[in-house]
Amino acid sequence: MSQPDVLHQAFELGFTYTRSTGPVVGRFLTELKQRNIVGIKGSDGRVIVPPMEYDPDTAEELSEFVDVGQEGEIVSYAWVKEPREAHPFDKPFAWAMILLDGADVPMIHCVAADSEDAVSTGARVKAVWAEETIGFITDIRCFERV
Amino acid sequence: MANLAAVVGTGQTSYTTKRGDVSIAGLVREAAVNALNDAELTWDDIDAVIVGKAPDMFEGVIMPEIYLTDALGCNGKPMLRVHTAGSVGGSTALVAASHVQSGTFKRVLTVAFEKQSESNAMWALSNPQPFSTHLNAGAGGYFAPIIREYMRRSEAPYDVGIKVAVKDRLHGARNPLAHLQKPDITMKEVEESFMLWDPIRFLESCPSSDGACAMVIANEELAEQAPRPPAWIRGVAMRSEPTMYAGREEVNPQAGRDCAADVYKQAGIKDPRKDLDVAEVYVPFSWYEPMWLENLGFAPEGEGWKLTMEGATSLDEGGDIPWNPSGGVLSSNPIGASGMIRFAEAARQVRGDAGDHQVEGAKLALGHAYGGGAQFFAMWVVGSEKG
């Protein structure tokens, strides 16, 4: 018995959307444009960076913004040996969880370093700003060792 | 036999073209907080959260329930998402109610929303498919031929839809939350508005709105302790049928008739026009009022338009069975929320909480939603008494 041909066709679907960031994430991004990093104080006093609209424990609306430092400490990291096109660098770099000074929750960003040896847990890093800041997370171009 | 459950709080945002000041989470949160405040409760009093919205492709947020858990106080609680296209607001309320009626939870929060200003609902509901010509019709293009067929069968006068468009906007002008505020609208203005999908004119169509609606549903014991009058849930029903079958009765869908018969039976309703005091029915295009008047048994087949033309469904004309005193979908349409708004507005009526659009002495109300290609139906009957 012969197998019938099953028809198939490439199918592409795309739509355009917009987003409103709201008063909390919007404030964080606006501050980035001014080369400043803000967190928000949670119900238990912890400073969360990037800020969240609602407390992760109590669900209360959060509104107490706190400036945090532009330097911090690497809590954990992953070295990217072979960067791909979508990555922020075309040479090896690290993704890291960085606990900024004054923050209680680490933030993920990229760390530029010449080699994996230069990155370690507990290492001090500082933010490097993009030449032009536009209110986007990539306004922080990367972190690098202090 | 299900346990008794009741609406003990409702909350809505106001409806508008664009809420650029809030995120999607902020919008949803606003309705939820309003419902908690109305019930005089806090997040800790809620056992589970049931959330609904229109298809993900509308706003392009895939699985928004993941993103909304903190905004809706779901930490450590069950959270469920319901999907039934445009009827989702109604189905979501019914899923929430069933969790209380079954005894699974004592008190649940249910929320539905849509931020149309950030979405692409018009085209996302009319996807191209492989091996098919792209219909490219949008909702109006889909429903216009069905309306034409209703007009042909019923021999209704051409201006029935125009009358509904005026009536619902006059109702909406009584409701401060309604998106369209057109207290001076006239038949002439509607008739002269441009034809979008013949026979549906611009002013015979719903607007595109941002907004959210929420309710707190509690069991009998907690509802009796509630600070404001509960809206007792007297009947709940959902029905579905396939959209794409060409032989389907689309003008007067069987699933809608069956759903209505089921919910009326539970609520002890024999003659809906006489037994109900008010109805909030999903009418996104004007002609769906006479069509659903027949589908829901308020008028014999072919005669729904007579009730509309007599003013029976108009609050302003002192009609005996006001439909959509809130202004309905024709005055506000955050798609995913629109069904829940119907259900919440029915509850507001029997709680005596509907302000300037209150139907005086309303004791029994119908909330209705439909979705897909008029393939999903969700209805509830709520009352000021347990029944």
Side-chain angles (χ1 to χ4, degrees):
Chain A
M1 228 171 93
S2 67
Q3 196 69 20
D5 282 338
V6 177
L7 295 174
H8 57 89
Q9 190 180 68
F11 174 47
E12 204 172 291
L13 189 61
F15 298 105
T16 53
Y17 301 101
T18 49
R19 279 297 168 268
S20 298
T21 53
V24 173
V25 176
R27 166 85 179 264
F28 173 72
L29 296 172
T30 306
E31 296 275 357
L32 287 182
K33 198 175 174 185
Q34 317 298 326
R35 297 167 194 261
N36 191 37
I37 306 172
V38 294
I40 206 159
K41 201 169 264 189
S43 61
D44 57 0
R46 280 188 307 172
V47 174
I48 302 163
V49 187
M52 298 181 72
E53 288 197 79
Y54 307 103
D55 189 86
D57 296 320
T58 65
E60 288 314 308
E61 194 173 330
L62 301 177
S63 58
E64 195 181 335
F65 289 92
V66 181
D67 282 341
V68 296
Q70 303 201 356
E71 291 188 13
E73 183 182 306
I74 294 178
V75 174
S76 182
Y77 69 94
W79 184 253
V80 181
K81 288 194 182 86
E82 293 169 15
R84 297 185 178 196
E85 201 178 324
H87 280 141
F89 296 100
D90 53 14
K91 58 174 196 168
F93 71 100
W95 288 118
M97 292 173 70
I98 299 161
L99 188 65
L100 293 170
D101 295 341
D104 295 294
V105 175
M107 177 174 90
I108 291 178
H109 215 293
C110 54
V111 173
D114 292 333
S115 70
E116 189 172 359
D117 298 343
V119 186
S120 62
T121 299
R124 296 282 301 168
V125 290
K126 65 175 183 200
V128 178
W129 294 94
E131 277 179 31
E132 190 194 356
T133 54
I134 55 171
F136 214 78
I137 189 64
T138 50
D139 285 356
I140 303 175
R141 175 163 159 63
C142 63
F143 284 82
E144 61 182 26
R145 288 290 299 268
V146 175
Chain B
M1 179 69 189
N3 299 308
L4 270 175
V7 178
V8 295
T10 70
Q12 301 179 53
T13 63
S14 60
Y15 305 108
T16 184
T17 304
K18 186 173 171 62
R19 279 294 303 273
D21 60 318
V22 286
S23 62
I24 290 173
L27 184 76
V28 172
R29 170 85 172 196
E30 205 173 289
V33 167
N34 288 344
L36 287 175
N37 289 344
D38 185 36
E40 296 185 16
L41 297 170
T42 68
W43 299 107
D44 290 342
D45 300 313
I46 299 300
D47 300 326
V49 179
I50 316 293
V51 61
K53 75 169 295 292
D56 289 351
M57 222 185 289
F58 281 20
E59 280 155 333
V61 179
I62 305 304
M63 296 183 282
E65 61 278 12
I66 292 175
Y67 152 66
L68 295 173
T69 42
D70 53 349
L72 291 174
C74 301
N75 195 7
K77 293 172 192 173
M79 185 195 203
L80 291 172
R81 157 100 185 268
V82 179
H83 300 246
T84 56
S87 68
V88 71
S91 317
T92 305
L94 294 183
V95 170
S98 71
H99 278 94
V100 178
Q101 292 170 318
S102 67
T104 307
F105 302 117
K106 290 179 178 169
R107 196 156 41 198
V108 301
L109 173 69
T110 185
V111 189
F113 66 96
E114 197 81 40
K115 214 167 180 219
Q116 282 224 56
S117 69
E118 302 193 2
S119 82
N120 205 323
M122 179 70 180
W123 303 121
L125 56 69
S126 188
N127 298 327
Q129 295 296 333
F131 301 111
S132 303
T133 302
H134 187 191
L135 188 60
N136 227 347
Y142 184 91
F143 292 118
I146 304 171
I147 292 171
R148 278 213 160 278
E149 173 62 7
Y150 172 76
M151 294 166 82
R152 187 190 68 79
R153 288 187 200 176
S154 66
E155 297 179 352
Y158 82 102
D159 55 353
V160 176
I162 296 170
K163 168 115 193 216
V164 176
V166 170
K167 184 266 292 181
D168 277 0
R169 272 51 174 272
L170 291 177
H171 285 175
R174 294 163 170 261
N175 176 6
L177 301 178
H179 179 171
L180 297 185
Q181 293 292 335
K182 298 181 80 64
D184 303 317
I185 193 169
T186 61
M187 297 276 284
K188 185 167 180 284
E189 184 185 351
V190 175
E191 186 167 358
E192 288 175 356
S193 68
F194 59 92
M195 193 61 87
L196 282 177
W197 305 273
D198 199 338
I200 308 170
R201 293 169 180 83
F202 178 72
L203 284 174
E204 291 181 84
S205 307
C206 51
S208 291
S209 314
D210 285 359
C213 179
M215 287 186 284
V216 178
I217 298 174
N219 69 12
E220 184 175 14
E221 185 191 350
L222 293 173
E224 278 174 344
Q225 298 163 11
R228 298 194 178 85
W232 296 99
I233 299 168
R234 301 274 294 272
V236 291
M238 284 186 264
R239 289 293 187 281
S240 315
E241 63 186 34
T243 293
M244 294 303 179
Y245 167 49
R248 185 166 73 101
E249 167 55 54
E250 294 198 76
V251 174
N252 192 1
Q254 186 67 44
R257 281 179 278 165
D258 292 350
C259 192
D262 186 359
V263 82
Y264 296 156
K265 191 177 175 203
Q266 292 171 47
I269 291 168
K270 292 192 172 61
D271 177 349
R273 180 173 178 183
K274 191 165 140 286
D275 299 343
L276 287 160
D277 298 305
V278 52
E280 281 280 343
V281 178
Y282 205 103
V283 176
F285 301 104
S286 60
W287 280 90
Y288 267 86
E289 174 168 303
M291 288 162 67
W292 290 153
L293 277 165
E294 296 169 28
N295 189 246
L296 298 174
F298 287 72
E301 198 157 358
E303 295 183 22
W305 61 270
K306 292 179 184 167
L307 271 65
T308 298
M309 296 312 272
E310 286 163 20
T313 58
S314 164
L315 210 50
D316 297 282
E317 293 178 61
D320 63 286
I321 182 63
W323 268 38
N324 295 317
S326 69
V329 181
L330 281 172
S331 297
S332 315
N333 188 32
I335 303 174
S338 290
M340 190 171 288
I341 299 167
R342 309 280 70 72
F343 279 50
E345 284 290 343
R348 289 184 72 190
Q349 289 289 343
V350 300
R351 298 175 82 207
D353 174 46
D356 287 343
H357 62 281
Q358 178 70 47
V359 174
E360 207 175 322
K363 285 186 162 52
L364 206 57
L366 172 70
H368 162 282
Y370 84 94
Q375 73 179 120
F376 294 130
F377 294 85
M379 303 174 198
W380 79 5
V381 170
V382 286
S384 56
E385 308 291 333
K386 290 181 186 176

